[in-house]
């Protein structure tokens, strides 16, 4: 019979009088529910053998599921009067017995017992010299059924893993009350488990099948829920559960996906973050370590559960950490790695999830399989996903309206952006005392532009020049926009290969120069609006020569990021780069002249709706957005998007 299987009804009467020396005490004083559950777990772990060992001057390690088990387990050992010294490995203990005391106790012929959730909280000698180790598992459905039957001296209905998911010893015991029945106790357990599984999430957290987008990350979560269900049913081990890191731009719904996973799986969601560890107390190393210990203990006590680390990139990579803080951070990260290893080794059903906006900033030890097994990218949703997110946030409003045209006005938007847009649209409707309409959403998506028409037209021609020339030479454009951000009046998002040749870099420079060329072709004089384009074009050509070994020699003279500074210090290099810029500018001007009708068409649409997405651009250019000529720069699986 598996550990989680419920025993037959004739096996439900627990053995309450197992210890000869304690029989009279137990018979005269019925055990409270807490002690009864602990006693059954003690028996299942092999408690009788442990008592025999304690009579022979032994060092024994007893691992418990949570700190609530200390008292009941210590009481069982003390009741046997073996003379053993019991050490409690509690995180909050002010003073811990040292190795010398452990050694002296053993030399005196007495046994020592260490009880701990985490053996690291016990004296090292006790752990290393342990003659035997006993692991008391969290109560299984079969154990809980047996305890309820024993407490009431009546048969108990079948108990499932879902009935007690996330409940600790004290919560299970609290459901067993004098004068009640096994059925009422089981109902209490189910209610408490349901409340703990998704505290505060029921109202606002969608199930996985209600989420739109997320791609591979959502598929992985669905598979993970199936694995959790199988583990609770006893058909697979909890050791089969993978861990994962969600990474991607801010606002893409990484935390929402983790919460949805927990709700769908009906398990406890335990959120934490690095800033939380510092905010709770003074931020001293001991305080931070204690916070890490406590969150893991909480997740294990409520297992199966989701332990979610938000903003995990707040932990620095030890390889590049500042020398003054390296020792501190090394201790924090080493503690976290140790707790992760222990949590995974416990196989209790704790799903470890983390979220980061910058996967490359994480310490390599965190990213290796065995700690966080999968790295799952969560990009901004496509237009179909945005329409679905809009529909979900509208909560029944505008039910008959096609939201696809509105979604196409938001390329690159995230779930967080959509939330803000719907709230803004509702405010607009409330301000005029009427129901929400499509116009409110459109105004929230396309806020008023305070620039003059001449300024907007100048920016539209500039961005259209970037986009049209990129399409002409076979590059892929994700979107083009005249929405101002920072000092930029607009933006064109170009999809580029992450590994580039010299020809790829020169094509990118041509696209950068095409904005200035378009303004000149439209009759405008050169102005300061193309400064950032010229700076990036110069840097790219300098990096090709001084960083990548793609033009001239192979000596690396600077990093790609510092190539522009090298140009400022090297007049000969500056002269070489300027000559190449002039040649590529002529190529850009030629392409702009050839593509002028398309540039004007893109600019007209930009003036009407501020943004044009990939599909609209492809339609306007009368070509498939994936079609590339022999000189093109197609997007590949390893492509990245850069903003011009």
């Amino acid at each position: 019979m598996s550990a989680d299987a419920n025993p037959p009804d004739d096996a439900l009467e627990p053995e309450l009088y197992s210890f000869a020396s304690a029989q009279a005490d137990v018979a005269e004083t019925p055990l409270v529910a807490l002690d009864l559950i602990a006693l059954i777990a003690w028996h299942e772990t092999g408690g009788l053998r442990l008592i025999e060992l304690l009579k022979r001057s032994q060092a024994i390690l007893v691992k418990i599921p949570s700190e609530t088990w200390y008292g009941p387990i210590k009481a069982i050992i003390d009741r046997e009067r073996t003379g053993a010294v019991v050490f409690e490995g509690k995180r909050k203990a002010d003073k811990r017995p040292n190795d010398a005391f452990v050694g002296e106790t053993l030399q005196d012929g007495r046994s020592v017992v260490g009880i701990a959730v985490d053996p690291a909280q016990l004296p090292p000698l006790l752990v290393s010299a342990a003659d035997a180790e006993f692991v008391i598992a969290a109560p299984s459905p079969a154990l809980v059924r047996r305890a309820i039957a024993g407490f009431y001296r009546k048969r108990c209905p079948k108990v499932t893993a879902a009935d007690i998911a996330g409940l600790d010893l004290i919560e299970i015991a609290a459901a067993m009350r004098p004068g009640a029945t096994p059925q009422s106790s089981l109902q209490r357990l189910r209610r408490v488990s349901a409340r703990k599984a998704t505290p505060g999430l029921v109202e606002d957290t969608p199930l996985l099948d209600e989420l739109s987008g997320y791609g591979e990350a959502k598929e992985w979560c669905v598979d993970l829920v199936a694995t959790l269900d199988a583990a609770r049913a006893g058909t697979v081990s909890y050791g089969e559960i993978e861990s994962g890191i969600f990474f991607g731009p801010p606002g893409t719904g990484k935390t929402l996906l983790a919460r949805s996973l927990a709700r769908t799986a009906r398990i406890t969601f335990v959120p934490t973050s690095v800033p939380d560890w510092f905010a709770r107390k003074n931020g001293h190393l001991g305080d931070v370590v204690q916070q890490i210990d406590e969150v893991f203990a909480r997740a294990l006590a409520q297992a199966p559960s989701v332990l979610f680390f938000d903003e995990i990139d707040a932990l620095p990579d030890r390889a590049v950490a500042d020398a003054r803080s390296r020792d501190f951070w090394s201790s924090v990260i080493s503690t976290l790695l140790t707790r992760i290893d222990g949590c995974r080794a416990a196989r209790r059903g704790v799903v470890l999830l983390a979220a980061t906006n910058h996967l490359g900033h994480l310490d390599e030890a965190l990213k290796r399989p065995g700690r966080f097994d999968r790295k799952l990218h969560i990009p901004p949703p496509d237009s179909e996903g945005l329409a679905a997110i809009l529909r979900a946030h509208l909560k029944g409003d505008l039910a008959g309206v096609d939201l696809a045209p509105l979604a196409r006005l938001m390329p690159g938007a995230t779930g967080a952006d959509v939330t803000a847009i719907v709230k803004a649209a509702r405010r607009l409707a409330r301000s005029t005392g009427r129901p929400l309409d499509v116009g409110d959403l459109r105004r929230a998506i396309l806020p008023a532009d305070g620039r003059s028409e001449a300024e907007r037209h100048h920016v539209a021609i500039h961005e259209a020049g970037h986009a049209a020339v990129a399409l002409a030479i076979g590059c892929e454009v994700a979107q083009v926009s005249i929405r101002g951000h920072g000092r930029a009046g607009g933006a064109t998002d170009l999809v580029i290969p992450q590994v580039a040749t010299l020809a790829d870099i020169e094509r990118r420079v041509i696209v950068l120069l095409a904005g200035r060329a378009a303004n000149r072709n439209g009759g405008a004089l050169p102005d300061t609006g193309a400064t950032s384009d010229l700076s990036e074009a110069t840097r790219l050509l300098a990096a090709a020569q001084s960083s990548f070994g793609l033009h001239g020699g192979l000596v690396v003279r600077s990093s790609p990021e510092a190539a522009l500074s090298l140009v400022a210090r090297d007049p000969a290099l500056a002269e070489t780069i300027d000559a190449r810029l002039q040649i590529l500018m002529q190529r850009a001007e030629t392409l702009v002249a050839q593509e002028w009708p398309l540039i004007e068409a893109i600019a007209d649409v930009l003036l009407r709706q501020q943004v044009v997405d990939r599909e609209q651009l492809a339609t306007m250019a009368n070509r498939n957005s994936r079609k590339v000529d022999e000189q093109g720069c197609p997007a590949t699986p390893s492509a990245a998007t850069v903003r011009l």
Side-chain angles (χ1 to χ4, degrees), residues 213-222 374-377:
Y214 288 100
E216 181 190 7
K218 179 181 171 181
E219 293 175 6
W220 179 79
C221 288
V222 171
R374 300 290 297 275
K375 289 79 185 174
L376 299 150
H377 183 225

Side-chain angles (χ1 to χ4, degrees), residues 395-406:
K395 300 182 185 298
D397 290 338
L398 307 180
V401 175
D402 180 10
L403 300 178
L406 291 173

Side-chain angles (χ1 to χ4, degrees), residues 84-313:
V85 176
V86 179
F87 298 143
E88 299 180 5
K90 294 185 178 180
R91 294 186 306 276
K92 298 180 180 179
D94 294 327
K95 296 177 66 176
R96 298 176 188 163
N98 56 32
D99 286 348
F101 184 72
V102 173
E104 291 171 1
T105 303
L106 291 171
Q107 288 298 316
D108 288 342
R110 302 172 67 189
S111 291
V112 291
V113 182
I115 306 175
V117 175
D118 178 9
Q121 303 298 327
L122 294 168
L125 179 61
L126 174 53
V127 178
S128 62
D131 298 295
E133 179 180 303
F134 292 81
V135 179
I136 296 178
S140 66
L143 187 150
V144 173
R145 187 185 186 202
R146 191 169 186 173
I148 293 174
F151 185 80
Y152 293 106
R153 304 294 179 178
K154 295 178 181 179
R155 290 183 177 182
C156 176
K158 183 177 180 179
V159 179
T160 68
D163 294 336
I164 58 173
L167 301 186
D168 197 8
L169 171 64
I170 196 166
E171 293 161 324
I172 296 172
M176 298 158 57
R177 304 174 189 175
T181 65
Q183 290 79 6
S184 64
S185 291
L186 188 53
Q187 287 300 320
R188 288 192 192 97
L189 290 173
R190 289 168 178 163
R191 287 196 299 270
V192 176
S193 178
R195 292 190 194 108
K196 291 196 67 176
T198 51
L201 306 185
V202 175
E203 294 296 327
D204 62 353
T205 301
L207 298 170
L208 285 174
D209 61 8
E210 297 170 345
L211 291 179
S212 300
Y214 288 100
E216 181 190 7
K218 179 181 171 181
E219 293 175 6
W220 179 79
C221 288
V222 171
D223 290 342
L224 189 59
V225 170
T227 303
L228 282 163
D229 288 341
R232 284 188 288 204
T235 58
V236 302
S237 164
Y238 277 118
E240 299 292 322
I241 295 172
E242 287 188 313
S243 57
I245 298 176
F246 300 148
F247 70 96
T252 49
K254 296 180 284 292
T255 301
L256 178 63
L257 183 60
R259 289 158 59 96
S260 179
L261 168 63
R263 186 186 172 203
T264 304
R266 307 177 309 282
I267 59 178
T268 307
F269 183 71
V270 183
T272 188
S273 69
V274 177
D276 280 347
W277 304 342
F278 287 84
R280 299 292 175 86
K281 291 192 177 180
N282 296 323
H284 298 148
L285 179 59
D287 296 331
V288 174
V289 168
Q290 181 176 320
Q291 292 298 317
I292 296 173
D293 287 345
E294 288 183 356
V295 75
F296 274 93
R298 190 161 70 249
L300 284 164
Q302 299 179 37
S305 61
V306 169
L307 177 50
F308 178 65
F309 299 89
D310 200 5
E311 302 174 0
I312 198 169
D313 49 279

Side-chain angles (χ1 to χ4, degrees), residues 414-427:
T414 66
D417 294 330
V418 174
T419 301
I421 285 168
V422 173
K423 288 181 178 178
R426 292 192 187 282
R427 283 196 300 271

